[in-house]
Amino acid sequence: MASVVEDFLNTEEEQEVVEAIRQAELKTSGEIRVHLERQCKGEALERAKVLFHHLKMDNTKAENGVLIYVAVDAKKFAVCGDRGINEVVPEGFWQSTKDLMQTEFKNRKFKSGLVKGITSAGEQLAQFFPWDDDDINELSDEISTS
């Protein structure tokens, strides 16, 4: 049985998503992760919040992690940020990021949707949490699954 990532992105697309995360994080102390799973019972944002904690994304020093969560078979997704980033981004920011992604997803351009979401989140993170000389990558850039 193919993995959830293989069903959603081919190997080349997966690497392009990981590279988009790396490029976004070069400009910020923030952390961006993508998590994929097949099903989501209930609301995608609530599931994303559970995964946010499970993936230890709430352990970053500046509370500036962003999770892009996609339930592939359920056709649901959410974007959520930690307390530090949520306090400073403009109202409606996460919805506008989701809207960018949804347009691509509806056209079955999944990699493009993820890259646009990562780039958008990265731009906001860079504005409020610029990269610093002593910045370390606190979380994996690889796509996680469950």
Side-chain angles (χ1 to χ4, degrees):
M1 185 167 149
S3 79
V4 65
V5 176
E6 291 166 345
D7 285 350
F8 194 64
L9 303 168
N10 65 37
T11 304
E12 185 179 312
E13 290 171 330
E14 179 182 358
Q15 288 311 307
E16 288 178 49
V17 169
V18 171
E19 185 58 25
I21 293 170
R22 289 187 181 128
Q23 290 302 312
E25 288 183 357
L26 287 176
K27 302 174 189 121
T28 178
S29 64
E31 296 289 333
I32 301 169
R33 292 209 62 187
V34 173
H35 186 89
L36 304 177
E37 63 184 6
R38 291 196 180 279
Q39 294 297 334
C40 172
K41 293 182 172 125
E43 294 295 318
L45 184 57
E46 292 309 309
R47 177 66 178 145
K49 289 176 181 177
V50 168
L51 287 165
F52 197 93
H53 178 70
H54 177 73
L55 295 168
K56 300 190 179 343
M57 293 188 66
D58 48 3
N59 291 350
T60 60
K61 187 170 69 173
E63 299 180 318
N64 59 356
V66 174
L67 175 63
I68 297 174
Y69 164 74
V70 181
V72 176
D73 294 347
K75 294 183 168 65
K76 296 180 184 179
F77 74 102
V79 181
C80 70
D82 205 353
R83 185 174 25 239
I85 187 73
N86 284 340
E87 289 175 356
V88 295
V89 293
E91 189 174 333
F93 173 71
W94 297 125
Q95 186 59 50
S96 65
T97 301
K98 270 189 72 178
D99 292 346
L100 279 173
M101 295 172 64
Q102 189 159 21
T103 300
E104 297 299 306
F105 285 1
K106 281 183 178 175
N107 292 316
R108 303 194 54 75
K109 295 180 181 176
F110 303 118
K111 181 210 61 158
S112 176
L114 288 171
V115 168
K116 284 185 177 188
I118 291 162
T119 302
S120 177
E123 288 168 357
Q124 287 297 312
L125 284 167
Q127 183 178 345
F128 297 106
F129 299 95
W131 186 83
D132 196 349
D133 287 341
D134 64 353
D135 183 50
I136 58 165
N137 193 8
E138 296 177 83
L139 300 170
S140 170
D141 296 336
E142 298 298 317
I143 297 172
S144 59
T145 61
S146 56

